[in-house]
Amino acid sequence: LITPDRELVEKLSRVRLVLMDIDGTLVTGDNIEFGNVLNQLRKLRPLDIGFSIATGRTIAGAAFVTERLRELGRLLPPMITYNGAVVLSGSDNTLVSRHLIERGALDALIQAARKAGVCALAYACHAEFGFAPKETVYSEAHDAPRFDFNGMPVVQVADLLAVQDDFVAVLLDCPTLQTKESLILGLQADLGDRLRITTSGP
């Protein structure tokens, strides 16, 4: 019989919730099997430790994971999407909270993308009847993809600055490392006190 280390048990007794990212954590590459994850989650139940998701993905982009976990009988507490901009109920996917991009900061961000010649995908999320989330991805770039990396259709518009919606995130697809580094430095200098700027992938 193996007894757990007393110090480890004491540390675990202070844990109330485990949050996991999707890409590179719950899902690696094309592997969307949850066998190992479920084995680990089963160990949390007797310790009364909750589990949920914290991801940069959209709600729709996280759905393949959340639906699979629900099918397997996992009740999720509130879930974090859009790198923290949107929190939704894990039980029924209704919106709990949103942090919108202030309009002046959004306009400055779009102008910076235009100046750098970078494709901007602007993500909006608002509540419909019953607090169900409605997500939309907009782009004005002529070379914008038809679908974003979450599989959401991209709505082509003539001018992003003219779109009135509840924007929660903007993704800038930088073609080169130099463009990315230059944009990050400029955005942090100009908007770092109004926006959280982060990178994802290459």
Side-chain angles (χ1 to χ4, degrees):
L1 180 68
I2 298 174
T3 56
D5 177 270
R6 184 175 293 175
E7 187 179 343
L8 177 61
V9 170
E10 199 275 324
K11 285 180 179 176
L12 287 174
S13 72
R14 296 194 301 262
V15 176
R16 292 289 168 259
L17 178 66
V18 171
L19 294 170
M20 286 190 187
D21 188 14
I22 293 177
D23 299 296
T25 304
L26 286 175
V27 175
T28 54
D30 294 331
N31 179 19
I32 58 171
E33 293 302 316
F34 295 92
N36 181 50
V37 173
L38 291 172
N39 287 336
Q40 301 307 317
L41 295 183
R42 286 187 194 102
K43 295 176 185 178
L44 298 178
R45 276 185 176 164
L47 300 171
D48 199 28
I49 297 173
F51 166 82
S52 195
I53 291 167
T55 180
R57 282 178 172 263
T58 64
I59 298 165
F64 76 102
V65 171
T66 55
E67 288 169 7
R68 180 75 176 117
L69 290 172
R70 284 193 194 99
E71 285 170 10
L72 296 165
R74 288 300 305 189
L75 296 176
L76 299 175
M79 180 173 55
I80 298 166
T81 58
Y82 289 99
N83 280 326
V86 177
V87 177
L88 68 157
S89 166
S91 59
D92 61 7
N93 268 19
T94 56
L95 289 175
V96 173
S97 72
R98 294 174 307 148
H99 298 281
L100 302 183
I101 299 174
E102 181 260 316
R103 191 68 210 202
L106 177 74
D107 291 354
L109 181 58
I110 299 306
Q111 296 281 15
R114 288 175 177 175
K115 186 177 178 183
V118 168
C119 174
L121 298 179
Y123 291 80
C125 180
H126 62 266
E128 294 195 310
F129 297 112
F131 299 102
K134 165 103 170 94
E135 300 175 282
T136 309
V137 190
Y138 299 95
S139 184
E140 64 183 16
H142 67 278
D143 57 347
R146 290 185 57 227
F147 296 90
D148 83 330
F149 76 102
N150 295 283
M152 293 175 59
V154 175
V155 176
Q156 191 75 36
V157 295
D159 182 2
L160 268 176
L161 299 179
V163 177
Q164 297 300 313
D165 209 332
D166 293 345
F167 290 100
V168 294
V170 176
L171 184 137
L172 303 179
D173 188 9
C174 298
T176 67
L177 182 61
Q178 183 180 3
T179 303
K180 181 170 89 169
E181 290 173 349
S182 174
L183 254 178
I184 289 170
L185 288 173
L187 292 174
Q188 286 176 336
D190 297 339
L191 299 169
D193 59 337
R194 297 160 75 191
L195 294 176
R196 190 172 68 106
I197 299 153
T198 187
T199 60
S200 178

